[in-house]
Every structure is written in structure tokens, then in C-alpha cells.
């Protein structure tokens, strides 16, 4: 079993995060994670910059996966959810509707995971800050199940969608602060050493999600 936190933001590209890339690596090692995926908002780390960071992670066999979290929008619907994207080699920004993003990512051989699909909006429990039931209309590759902002009702909705759509569930901390790293994780049953391995295992559904709380 290999434990990955696959939803993480650093202050290098996400202004809302106070985690430096070096802190991220240190904490992931301390939390005994086998791997992490960096998913900044609309930005993918340049591969050479990520390779520099790998020098800190490699001695501990900590695997670094490059990804991004893409915010979608359409004039008709407004926000159409956020998606963790892997396998697309450039930064995607935030200029897509959800359907356009799915087509673009699959066209490039990548995968999409609905990020916190049933996280409630700050403006009340009538709306989600996530894809909500739109996940039923899109061809996604997985759904984020464990996320710190999913309550019991959200979890129930994701579980139902996983069953109906036959999709695996992931866990990610969406950490913007060091303490949160590793609070929700994705367990991979096979060893993953690269983004390609990771994509293959998500597609194969050889994963499950776990919530670990906030260790001190
Ligand atoms: Zn998000
Ligand atoms: Zn996020």
C-alpha cells in the first residue's frame, strides 16, 4: 500500500497557500507519506523546477507528482466546479467550461478528478463550491471523496455517485497550511513512481481514499 496526498498547494504558485515547497517536502516525510501531488490553481510546475524539489524528496523515496487544479466557468452557469488534472504538460489557467476542460484533458491523454464536488458554498447550503451533480454529466476519471470540507452529507453524495458512475474515490488534504498535509489521502495498491504510473493506477481504479484527521 502506498499513501499519497494528491491535492496540495504551495506558496510558490498559489498565493492563498502559506506552505513553502521545502516545508511541503519536510512535512510529507514526517507524515510518512509515500508520495504527494502538487496541484496549484491553474498552474503546472515547470518540470525543471520540480526536479530541483525532487532532490530533497529522493533520499526519502518520496514521490512527487506534477498536476494542477483547474477552476471552470461558463457564462450560463457561472462556476462549474474545480478539477484536479494530471497528464497535461502545460498550465491550463481558468478559461474553460467543465465540458471543454474534460475534452481538452482527455484529448491530451490526461485524467480529471472532480475536486471537492460537494463542498458547500460559503454562500449557503443551496450551492456547492464544486461540480455538484454536474459530475453525472461529465466523463471524469475519479471523484474526490475525502476532503476536509466534505461533511457526512457530502460524503454520502460522493459515495452514491462513485457507485452509479463506477468511479474510484480519492482523498486529498487541499492543504494551504502545513498542519493539514496528509489529513486526507489516497491509498494506491501498486507502486507508483511517475505521473504516468499514477494516471494508469487511477484509471484502473487501484485506489481508495482515507481520512486521517489532523495529527499534531
Ligand atoms: Zn478547490
Ligand atoms: Zn485545492
Amino acid at each position: 500500500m502506498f499513501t499519497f496526498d494528491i491535492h496540495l498547494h504551495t506558496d510558490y504558485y498559489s498565493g492563498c497557500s502559506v506552505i513553502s515547497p521545502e516545508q511541503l517536502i519536510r512535512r510529507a516525510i514526517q507524515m510518512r507519506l509515500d508520495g504527494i501531488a502538487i496541484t496549484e490553481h491553474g498552474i503546472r510546475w515547470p518540470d525543471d523546477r520540480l526536479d530541483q524539489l525532487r532532490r530533497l524528496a529522493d533520499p526519502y523515496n518520496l514521490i512527487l507528482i506534477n498536476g494542477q487544479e483547474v477552476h471552470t466557468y461558463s457564462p450560463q452557469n457561472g462556476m462549474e466546479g474545480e478539477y484536479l488534472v494530471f497528464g497535461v504538460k502545460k498550465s491550463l489557467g481558468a478559461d474553460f467550461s467543465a465540458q471543454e476542460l474534460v475534452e481538452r484533458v482527455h484529448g491530451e491523454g490526461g485524467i480529471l478528478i472532480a475536486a471537492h464536488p460537494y463542498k458547500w458554498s460559503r454562500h449557503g447550503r443551496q450551492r456547492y463550491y464544486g461540480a455538484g451533480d454536474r459530475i453525472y454529466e461529465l466523463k471524469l476519471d475519479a471523484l474526490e471523496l475525502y476532503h476536509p470540507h466534505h461533511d457526512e452529507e457530502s460524503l454520502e453524495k460522493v459515495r452514491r455517485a462513485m457507485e452509479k458512475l463506477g468511479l474510484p474515490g480519492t482523498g486529498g488534504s487541499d492543504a494551504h497550511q502545513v498542519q493539514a498535509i496528509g489529513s486526507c489521502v489516497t491509498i494506491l495498491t501498486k507502486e507508483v513512481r511517475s505521473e504516468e504510473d499514477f494516471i494508469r493506477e487511477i484509471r484502473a481504479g487501484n485506489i481508495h481514499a482515507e481520512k486521517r484527521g489532523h495529527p499534531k
Side-chain angles (χ1 to χ4, degrees):
M1 298 291 186
F2 302 90
T3 306
F4 280 52
D5 186 343
I6 68 163
H7 187 166
L8 294 159
H9 299 271
T10 78
D11 66 2
Y12 195 58
Y13 284 118
S14 296
C16 47
S17 173
V18 295
I19 306 169
S20 74
E22 294 74 19
Q23 280 176 318
L24 171 60
I25 301 299
R26 277 201 301 273
R27 183 67 172 179
I29 292 164
Q30 196 185 3
M31 296 292 291
R32 300 182 185 284
L33 297 177
D34 298 297
I36 53 175
I38 300 181
T39 54
E40 315 280 17
H41 298 286
I43 298 178
R44 180 185 164 96
W45 275 53
D47 285 315
D48 56 346
R49 180 69 187 84
L50 198 68
D51 281 342
Q52 285 174 23
L53 198 60
R54 283 201 174 95
R55 282 186 219 147
L56 300 178
D58 283 350
Y60 299 90
N61 289 319
L62 176 72
I63 304 297
L64 263 58
I65 305 289
N66 206 354
Q68 56 191 304
E69 180 177 23
V70 182
H71 186 96
T72 61
Y73 172 89
S74 77
Q76 312 86 282
N77 300 320
M79 198 255 201
E80 293 194 335
E82 295 191 320
Y83 303 86
L84 304 179
V85 170
F86 299 94
V88 173
K89 300 294 178 192
K90 57 172 130 154
S91 298
L92 289 168
D95 298 325
F96 300 90
S97 70
Q99 182 57 35
E100 285 166 352
L101 181 70
V102 169
E103 287 168 16
R104 168 75 182 265
V105 171
H106 284 159
E108 296 194 23
I111 57 165
L112 305 98
I113 302 168
H116 46 73
Y118 291 102
K119 170 182 171 177
W120 298 105
S121 157
R122 269 183 298 168
H123 308 293
R125 291 173 69 94
Q126 286 76 34
R127 300 176 63 179
Y128 302 108
Y129 191 79
D133 291 337
R134 184 166 286 107
I135 55 179
Y136 286 95
E137 297 155 23
L138 298 166
K139 275 208 105 26
L140 299 168
D141 301 281
L143 307 173
E144 192 171 56
L145 173 64
Y146 287 119
H147 178 281
H149 294 133
H150 270 168
D151 63 12
E152 276 309 315
E153 194 180 331
S154 314
L155 292 174
E156 207 32 65
K157 288 179 173 171
V158 182
R159 286 194 189 101
R160 202 179 308 147
M162 284 166 58
E163 201 178 305
K164 286 201 173 156
L165 297 168
L167 291 177
T170 67
S173 69
D174 201 0
H176 290 68
Q177 299 180 45
V178 172
Q179 294 77 5
I181 296 166
S183 59
C184 296
V185 291
T186 301
I187 312 293
L188 297 129
T189 47
K190 290 195 183 149
E191 192 172 11
V192 157
R193 302 206 64 85
S194 66
E195 192 175 355
E196 291 70 30
D197 292 351
F198 178 75
I199 290 169
R200 188 191 61 233
E201 292 307 304
I202 299 280
R203 281 209 189 104
N206 293 331
I207 60 164
H208 70 269
E210 276 182 15
K211 191 171 177 98
R212 304 197 145 178
H214 273 247
K216 290 282 165 319

